[in-house]
Amino acid sequence: MSENALMPGTARVTFDYSDGSKVHQFSNGFQNHLARYNKLHQSLHGKKAKIDPYERSKSCSQWLVEQLKDIGIEAYIHRYNIPLSTTANSTSGINSNQFKRQGYNVYSVLRAPKSDGRESIVLSTSFNSSDESSISKTTTTTTSSSSSSNTETSIGVALTIMQYLQKKGNIWLAKDLILVISDTFLEQSSSDNNIGLKNWLHDYHDSTMISKDISHNNNNNNNNNNNNNNNNNNNNNNNNNNNESDNNDFINNNYFPRAGAIQAAINIEVSNKKYQSDHVYVLAEGSNGQLPNLDLINTVGRLAKREGYSKSMLLSPSSMNKNDELLFIPVEHRTLARFMLNQAIGIPTGDHGLFNKYHIDAITLGVSGVSSTMGARVLIGTIRSLNNLLERLHQSFYYYLLPSPFHYISIGEYMISIGLIISPLAFGVIYLLISLSNVFTSPTIFTPKSKSTTTTETTQKKKKNLFEELGTFECLDTPKDIVYSITIVALFQLIGISLFSLPQTFTNTTSIILNYLSNFEIIGLFGIFGFSYFILFLIVLPILDKMFYPKNEPIKTFKESKSTKAAVTTNDYSQLITNSNRNHLKSGSNSFFVFSNLPILIFITTMSLLNFSFCTFASILSIPLCFISQITNNNNNDNNNNSNNRNNSDINNNLNNINVNNVMKKLILSIKKLIVYSLLLLFSPPVILYLFSHYIANDQNVFIFLLTIIKQYDQYSTLLFPFLTLIYIPLNLSILKSIK
């Protein structure tokens, strides 16, 4: 615990089971209101008539406002416009030709009597007014408390806590408390996650929204103008009517009462299906793996310990699931794996992730309906601890991993692991970069003396010998090879950039194409990649090869081009113009290995600070693939060197043994190539996409999965889509190009 001002557990929470019984009262009242609305609609329009979900959401919002005002708290309805694409995709039967529909949020402000209103804490929750299962339950049994559905119980918890704080919190409350309740009936048909809360946060931080009611001032000004201008009554009346209508529109659209600056937020989620009873769940993963300040999680943990729920606190809904595939792993390792997986996916595990955009520390506190009293006690204690803050949370960590709710791994410890994963590739690229630096020598206008030249030559030879002892890489590249490698890598990166930018530029066209291709999943996926590879490797790249390396042009390696002592004859040139040497200079050279692997090194080293978990999984998948081409190329080079050495030796000795050895080595080399090609096929982009969409993304269509990760990148800035297009596909193309 780094922030001493939090002081968790110093005050006793007096919330008991008598207060907890009001949770069911509010929940049943909300259910009864939904049941009455549905029966009234059926009596007026018939049983087969579809209910307008927007009107039903408005009715529920009005009921919530009445309940909050009965408690004694100021309450408002926040209206926001829903995009046309969202209403058009809805399955509620509403005409998509309508221009705009309005959504409704309910928010209330509990003003702190002992503060200046500059700071506030947010409680958020949501309900689903279109949940048909809960509606069917309410029509049959409306008096049973056990029949309350999941989302309505969260409404009951929120209203009960606000009622409790209104009565007993005025003594110690030093910050304004804001309650935001949103309707999520659009989540089933929209890609946005809780667009109501997202719009509320946008309008709350929008400078064009006015926090003070200006209607009273405008009416006073209009009355003064009427009294002073008695001579032109008709003109003044017309102008006043126009001004009043304009002002009323301005007030309705831009009037937004506020509290202070939001210091922290807690999202309340009650679900009998998602959460187990007698457990408190703390969900911290936000957009793109962003995490709140560690003190916020530690505060909830300390309070859970004080209330006797330390063994009941979990970090993931699937931690105690009996159907979990990771049950054979110890609990702490399983918790750490789930935590890293949720962080790597980048999608918020709750509505608290929407607060990350505004640099607000937020978590989701999840409980089941049976454990609502236990969750309410922990929640009230957390609010009281946050109420003691003198400034924003800043002293503890923002970069950490949680193997358990009470233990953490800091950034100074877990960054070592990803450094060890990428170190072989990083050292190899640096080593080859140093060897390539000898290709380009800077010109000089001074002619050194003979003695100095001899000394420098000897020192260079010594340094070179020491340098060559570190590895077996040799610089075989000429300046033309380096330019060729840069050209090919730049071409592959341009392909990745186009795949990354085009779906974001033409969003509607991309969604139409992907939805159409979803009808032909396997044929469309492998057909598109196969046709693209055919055009690239059999048409485009051969043209570039002929431009850089014509057939009649002799090829010299860098070592031979630098040697001035021995003259090279035409016969030597003819020996150099072989397919193996030409392929080595074109694609298997050191420069091609360096420039093709630089993007993945830059991506992992920079993005690991933003989302360590994703970069760890990405490096485990990609780093071994970078060395596949080196394995095959080194085997081919060794075979070529061995054959040349045998040609220089006595050919007449033991020809039969040499032939047998060549056959065995060719057989081993073919087996290695078969293994390499099978690995490349297994880790190719179409196969990876198919396996990931069907076995990790809950058996989803590949093209629908592509559409979802594009939308997730637009909403949460996840790293899966940019890694796939900008890094993995160009890397796969480079590996295919480099293999002989």
Side-chain angles (χ1 to χ4, degrees):
M1 204 73 183
S2 301
E3 183 61 61
N4 295 325
L6 288 169
M7 297 184 294
T10 55
R12 187 172 66 91
V13 178
T14 59
F15 189 91
D16 53 11
Y17 286 96
S18 61
D19 296 319
S21 62
K22 298 178 183 179
V23 174
H24 301 288
Q25 294 178 7
F26 283 114
S27 300
N28 291 332
F30 187 79
Q31 287 181 343
N32 293 332
H33 173 75
L34 275 176
R36 287 194 301 268
Y37 183 86
N38 294 332
K39 288 181 180 179
L40 180 61
H41 184 274
Q42 291 176 0
S43 62
L44 295 176
H45 304 281
K47 294 183 179 181
K48 296 183 179 180
K50 293 184 178 179
I51 301 175
D52 189 351
Y54 300 94
E55 294 297 328
R56 181 167 52 190
S57 177
K58 182 179 179 180
S59 176
C60 294
S61 300
Q62 291 174 351
W63 182 88
L64 290 171
V65 168
E66 292 175 359
Q67 297 298 317
L68 289 168
K69 287 183 178 180
D70 292 339
I71 293 173
I73 305 173
E74 55 178 294
Y76 309 94
I77 293 179
H78 169 245
R79 299 175 178 87
Y80 60 92
N81 293 325
I82 300 173
L84 183 62
S85 59
T86 304
T87 58
N89 293 330
S90 63
T91 58
S92 57
I94 304 302
N95 188 7
S96 62
N97 294 325
Q98 296 179 5
F99 179 68
K100 284 182 180 179
R101 298 304 300 264
Q102 280 192 337
Y104 303 94
N105 294 320
V106 175
Y107 73 101
S108 63
V109 181
L110 179 59
R111 305 286 179 180
K114 298 180 181 180
S115 69
D116 54 358
R118 295 184 179 181
E119 297 175 347
S120 63
I121 303 170
V122 171
L123 295 180
S124 65
T125 188
S126 60
F127 65 94
N128 188 355
S129 60
S130 297
D131 190 359
E132 298 296 336
S133 60
S134 63
I135 295 171
S136 61
K137 289 179 182 179
T138 57
T139 56
T140 55
T141 57
T142 59
T143 59
S144 177
S145 61
S146 62
S147 65
S148 60
S149 65
N150 303 330
T151 53
E152 284 117 9
T153 307
S154 63
I155 296 296
V157 172
L159 295 178
T160 304
I161 289 176
M162 294 300 288
Q163 186 181 27
Y164 172 84
L165 294 177
Q166 169 65 17
K167 293 180 180 180
K168 301 180 180 181
N170 290 328
I171 302 173
W172 50 263
L173 198 61
K175 291 180 175 63
D176 294 339
L177 188 63
I178 305 173
L179 174 64
V180 184
I181 304 175
S182 56
D183 192 354
T184 59
F185 71 96
L186 286 173
E187 285 190 28
Q188 298 176 354
S189 58
S190 174
S191 61
D192 293 333
N193 186 14
N194 201 343
I195 60 175
L197 182 59
K198 182 186 296 184
N199 282 276
W200 184 88
L201 284 170
H202 177 269
D203 292 343
Y204 190 88
H205 295 88
D206 190 2
S207 60
T208 61
M209 305 295 286
I210 297 175
S211 298
K212 295 182 180 180
D213 192 355
I214 63 172
S215 60
H216 180 71
N217 296 327
N218 288 328
N219 292 328
N220 291 332
N221 293 329
N222 290 328
N223 292 327
N224 292 328
N225 291 328
N226 290 327
N227 293 326
N228 293 327
N229 298 322
N230 292 324
N231 295 327
N232 298 322
N233 290 325
N234 294 327
N235 294 329
N236 286 329
N237 289 329
N238 293 329
N239 292 328
N240 288 329
N241 291 329
N242 293 329
N243 290 330
E244 287 179 359
S245 62
D246 294 338
N247 289 329
N248 288 330
D249 293 337
F250 181 73
I251 292 167
N252 292 331
N253 293 330
N254 287 12
Y255 177 50
F256 195 94
R258 291 184 178 86
I262 302 174
Q263 286 198 332
I266 301 175
N267 180 57
I268 308 169
E269 187 176 1
V270 181
S271 175
N272 294 324
K273 296 180 180 179
K274 187 176 181 180
Y275 304 113
Q276 295 182 357
S277 59
D278 298 330
H279 287 86
V280 177
Y281 295 84
V282 179
L283 309 181
E285 299 88 354
S287 301
N288 193 21
Q290 296 184 40
L291 299 173
N293 194 277
L294 186 59
D295 279 341
L296 184 58
I297 300 176
N298 289 334
T299 301
V300 180
R302 295 283 184 90
L303 291 168
K305 271 188 176 181
R306 189 182 185 280
E307 298 294 334
Y309 308 136
S310 59
K311 296 182 180 180
S312 302
M313 184 176 172
L314 301 174
L315 298 174
S316 176
S318 59
S319 298
M320 300 298 293
N321 190 3
K322 296 181 180 180
N323 297 324
D324 192 2
E325 298 177 354
L326 303 176
L327 283 178
F328 63 94
I329 302 176
V331 177
E332 292 186 352
H333 296 82
R334 185 166 68 245
T335 304
L336 180 61
R338 289 294 180 188
F339 187 86
M340 292 184 64
L341 182 61
N342 292 331
Q343 190 181 21
I345 293 173
I347 303 173
T349 53
D351 292 339
H352 67 278
L354 300 173
F355 292 88
N356 298 135
K357 181 180 178 181
Y358 302 95
H359 305 284
I360 300 171
D361 296 313
I363 59 171
T364 291
L365 191 65
V367 292
S368 63
V370 180
S371 307
S372 58
T373 302
M374 177 175 64
R377 291 178 62 88
V378 176
L379 179 59
I380 292 172
T382 305
I383 294 172
R384 189 153 189 175
S385 296
L386 294 174
N387 182 72
N388 298 330
L389 284 177
L390 301 176
E391 53 187 346
R392 286 180 178 271
L393 294 171
H394 66 282
Q395 292 189 4
S396 189
F397 292 100
Y398 281 94
Y399 299 97
Y400 52 87
L401 298 176
L402 294 177
S404 70
F406 307 102
H407 299 87
Y408 73 95
I409 303 173
S410 64
I411 185 174
E413 297 174 348
Y414 65 71
M415 286 298 289
I416 300 174
S417 61
I418 196 170
L420 294 175
I421 295 173
I422 67 173
S423 59
L425 182 62
F427 286 131
V429 169
I430 293 171
Y431 183 81
L432 293 177
L433 275 175
I434 296 173
S435 65
L436 290 175
S437 64
N438 297 324
V439 176
F440 299 98
T441 57
S442 59
T444 179
I445 60 175
F446 299 101
T447 57
K449 296 180 181 180
S450 60
K451 293 182 180 181
S452 61
T453 54
T454 55
T455 55
T456 53
E457 287 178 357
T458 55
T459 54
Q460 287 178 358
K461 288 181 180 179
K462 290 180 180 179
K463 290 181 180 179
K464 187 175 181 180
N465 292 330
L466 292 174
F467 186 71
E468 287 179 350
E469 289 178 358
L470 297 176
T472 59
F473 294 104
E474 294 182 357
C475 182
L476 302 175
D477 298 349
T478 61
K480 181 186 288 188
D481 302 328
I482 296 176
V483 174
Y484 176 81
S485 300
I486 294 174
T487 304
I488 297 299
V489 172
L491 175 63
F492 293 159
Q493 289 300 128
L494 286 175
I495 294 173
I497 292 172
S498 62
L499 293 175
F500 174 74
S501 59
L502 288 177
Q504 301 179 67
T505 306
F506 307 99
T507 55
N508 294 329
T509 306
T510 303
S511 62
I512 292 172
I513 293 173
L514 292 178
N515 286 322
Y516 175 76
L517 290 175
S518 63
N519 300 321
F520 314 97
E521 183 180 7
I522 298 178
I523 298 175
L525 178 64
F526 291 94
I528 290 173
F529 275 94
F531 182 73
S532 302
Y533 284 3
F534 177 81
I535 294 176
L536 183 62
F537 286 97
L538 297 181
I539 298 176
V540 178
L541 292 180
I543 294 174
L544 292 175
D545 294 343
K546 291 180 182 179
M547 291 174 59
F548 280 88
Y549 301 103
K551 292 183 179 180
N552 297 324
E553 180 182 356
I555 300 176
K556 290 193 298 182
T557 61
F558 169 70
K559 185 186 292 185
E560 293 166 349
S561 63
K562 284 292 184 181
S563 63
T564 56
K565 296 181 180 180
V568 183
T569 62
T570 56
N571 294 326
D572 295 329
Y573 279 127
S574 63
Q575 293 178 0
L576 291 172
I577 306 174
T578 60
N579 291 328
S580 60
N581 287 331
R582 186 180 294 277
N583 289 331
H584 173 77
L585 293 174
K586 287 192 297 183
S587 58
S589 60
N590 295 341
S591 60
F592 190 81
F593 180 80
V594 168
F595 296 118
S596 61
N597 293 319
L598 275 179
I600 187 172
L601 284 177
I602 295 172
F603 181 88
I604 291 176
T605 53
T606 54
M607 294 300 172
S608 60
L609 296 176
L610 296 178
N611 195 335
F612 165 80
S613 300
F614 178 85
C615 292
T616 301
F617 293 130
S619 60
I620 293 173
L621 175 66
S622 304
I623 297 299
L625 296 177
C626 299
F627 295 97
I628 289 180
S629 61
Q630 292 295 315
I631 294 173
T632 56
N633 291 332
N634 288 333
N635 289 329
N636 289 329
N637 293 329
D638 292 337
N639 291 329
N640 293 328
N641 293 328
N642 292 329
S643 63
N644 291 328
N645 292 329
R646 291 191 190 96
N647 290 328
N648 293 329
S649 63
D650 190 7
I651 302 176
N652 295 322
N653 294 328
N654 298 326
L655 291 175
N656 295 326
N657 293 329
I658 293 173
N659 292 328
V660 172
N661 292 330
N662 289 332
V663 171
M664 292 298 296
K665 288 183 177 180
K666 288 181 179 179
L667 180 62
I668 294 172
L669 182 61
S670 61
I671 294 174
K672 288 183 178 180
K673 285 186 176 182
L674 180 62
I675 295 173
V676 168
Y677 292 151
S678 60
L679 288 175
L680 286 178
L681 179 62
L682 180 62
F683 292 98
S684 61
V687 176
I688 288 292
L689 285 173
Y690 184 82
L691 295 176
F692 197 91
S693 61
H694 283 271
Y695 294 98
I696 297 179
N698 298 323
D699 198 10
Q700 194 175 11
N701 189 281
V702 175
F703 296 101
I704 302 299
F705 171 72
L706 286 173
L707 188 60
T708 54
I709 63 174
I710 293 172
K711 293 180 179 179
Q712 289 169 4
Y713 172 75
D714 294 334
Q715 296 175 18
Y716 309 116
S717 299
T718 57
L719 296 180
L720 181 57
F721 178 62
F723 174 78
L724 178 65
T725 55
L726 298 176
I727 303 299
Y728 194 75
I729 291 179
L731 178 64
N732 184 264
L733 296 175
S734 300
I735 294 172
L736 293 176
K737 175 63 179 173
S738 60
I739 292 178
K740 296 178 183 179

